[in-house]
Amino acid sequence: MSTEHPFPELYGAATGVGSMPGTDAREAARTAVGALEQLPHLPELPARGPGADMIGRGAGLLVELFAQTEPSGWRFADRPGRDTRRAHSWLGEDLDALEEFTQGWEGPVKVQAVGPWTLAASIELRYGEKALSDPGACRDITGSLTEGLRRHLADVRRRIPGAQVVLQLDEPSLPAVLDGSVRTASGFQRLRSVDRQVAEEALRSVVRALDVPVVVHSCAPGVPLPLLRRAGVAGISLDFGLLTERDDDELGEAVEAGTVILAGVVPSAGDGLSDPAGSVQGVRRLWRRLGLGPELLGRRVLVTPTCGLSGASPAYARQALSHSVKAARSLVDNPE
């Protein structure tokens, strides 16, 4: 199934996954916009604490659903509290910083939000079990998140009028949701797997309700490529090191159908990086195995770090983004 909102036309492009180190929103935005000349992204700074983390930010986007932190993690609450206000405040601070550094920007900009299945697998209901255990709660989360994303995207467009906004849904828990390996709140058992068709329909409902291209990111093994394609996503972002040759056919079909692959090949933490062209050698090998035209490589593959950069040093984060840009250019200059 093709997406109604195709990915922007880019050539030899790179982007970040989302999170950045530190607590300085302006510095993070300056780095993301400065390094990522074709597709800058809205940085997330989880080091600030609850509400700036992926789940807290996602909970803050929900409409008429509220969550707060408990000793066990995030849990739904009756009314908005300090954690909701903090999530809203930090998102506003991040958007202010991105707006400052994208004055006059014309082109694609990526924003990230946690997807419905990872939210459901991470937030507990009021009585203590994870929302994933309750199909009605999962539907409520999906609808509430969709409305929240609609408002969020409208805000981004107001702030950056020249932006072609791309939305990335972070779904690191999706493979576990599908194979029944999400642990109960107690940790002693596992929740029943969600039917693949139900999971697909929920994602499709989000994709169709938003008038932007949607990418799904998952840095876990076993990303369900065909399911995501049927849901109508424009791109799939994954840790390239977790792929096996068993994934070849599904990846090839996705590329031939026009799906953009955001290939996580640059380590998200470490001491140093050497050869950008070497980072994408596995992508070139995949391309040859699939028999795809080398001219497609720079158009259908974007280079990213393997996952978020929140665990890296600020210097390494800057280096990883610059390295990703150089690696993406090498796919164009030397596709074979």
Side-chain angles (χ1 to χ4, degrees):
M1 174 180 292
S2 63
T3 175
E4 294 174 34
H5 303 288
F7 203 88
E9 284 283 333
L10 296 171
Y11 194 47
T15 192
V17 171
S19 68
M20 298 280 283
T23 59
D24 186 335
R26 291 184 75 254
E27 181 58 31
R30 181 190 287 114
T31 298
V33 175
L36 301 166
E37 54 209 34
Q38 292 196 60
L39 185 57
H41 68 91
L42 175 68
E44 301 166 355
L45 301 173
R48 291 179 298 197
D53 61 301
M54 180 177 73
I55 301 303
R57 173 161 286 188
L61 287 170
L62 296 174
V63 174
E64 296 181 3
L65 288 177
F66 314 106
Q68 62 191 27
T69 52
E70 302 283 347
S72 60
W74 286 92
R75 182 176 291 184
F76 283 112
D78 292 325
R79 60 185 64 85
R82 181 185 61 187
D83 295 322
T84 299
R85 289 192 296 272
R86 201 157 38 189
H88 290 167
S89 173
W90 275 325
L91 177 57
E93 186 179 306
D94 294 343
L95 287 168
D96 287 345
L98 186 67
E99 182 179 1
E100 177 184 347
F101 290 102
T102 52
Q103 292 295 308
W105 178 267
E106 299 277 341
V109 173
K110 181 169 73 70
V111 298
Q112 305 81 222
V114 66
W117 292 111
T118 297
L119 266 185
S122 305
I123 303 181
E124 296 175 1
L125 298 167
R126 290 181 185 84
Y127 60 79
E129 191 47 85
K130 289 180 178 173
L132 186 64
S133 65
D134 182 334
C138 292
R139 287 191 294 272
D140 289 345
I141 289 171
T142 301
S144 174
L145 178 63
T146 302
E147 180 55 31
L149 289 171
R150 195 183 283 117
R151 298 179 187 185
H152 177 45
L153 294 169
D155 187 22
V156 175
R157 285 200 182 99
R158 277 194 300 272
R159 291 166 174 271
I160 315 172
Q164 296 170 259
V165 184
V166 175
L167 172 66
Q168 174 183 304
L169 288 179
D170 291 316
E171 283 284 17
S173 297
L174 181 60
V177 166
L178 296 173
D179 69 17
S181 58
V182 175
R183 293 195 174 275
T184 57
S186 69
F188 295 123
Q189 293 177 292
R190 297 174 192 275
L191 294 173
R192 180 183 300 175
S193 62
V194 170
D195 181 86
R196 297 179 86 86
Q197 190 168 351
V198 171
E200 179 186 321
E201 286 170 359
L203 288 168
R204 185 185 300 116
S205 73
V206 179
V207 170
R208 285 186 170 173
L210 304 173
D211 59 349
V212 298
V214 176
V215 172
V216 168
H217 167 74
S218 184
C219 49
V223 177
L225 300 171
L227 183 155
L228 295 177
R229 281 184 52 220
R230 290 193 301 270
V233 303
I236 299 171
S237 170
L238 34 72
D239 180 342
F240 218 73
L242 297 178
L243 293 173
T244 69
E245 291 196 15
R246 291 195 301 274
D247 300 306
D248 279 7
D249 288 346
E250 292 174 356
L251 264 173
E253 288 169 10
V255 170
E256 289 181 331
T259 305
V260 170
I261 304 299
L262 286 78
V265 295
V266 177
S268 55
D271 299 321
L273 295 162
S274 52
D275 173 28
S279 298
V280 285
Q281 210 43 49
V283 180
R284 291 191 185 91
R285 283 196 295 270
L286 170 71
W287 226 248
R288 286 195 292 272
R289 283 203 308 272
L290 295 176
L292 295 167
E295 73 285 350
L296 273 181
L297 195 48
R299 301 184 188 281
R300 294 288 165 77
V301 175
L302 277 74
V303 175
T304 75
T306 52
C307 209
L309 296 168
S310 60
S313 68
Y316 181 85
R318 287 191 294 272
Q319 187 183 4
L321 294 182
S322 298
H323 188 95
S324 298
V325 170
K326 292 172 188 168
R329 287 193 192 125
S330 83
L331 286 179
V332 173
D333 295 340
N334 302 294
E336 301 185 74

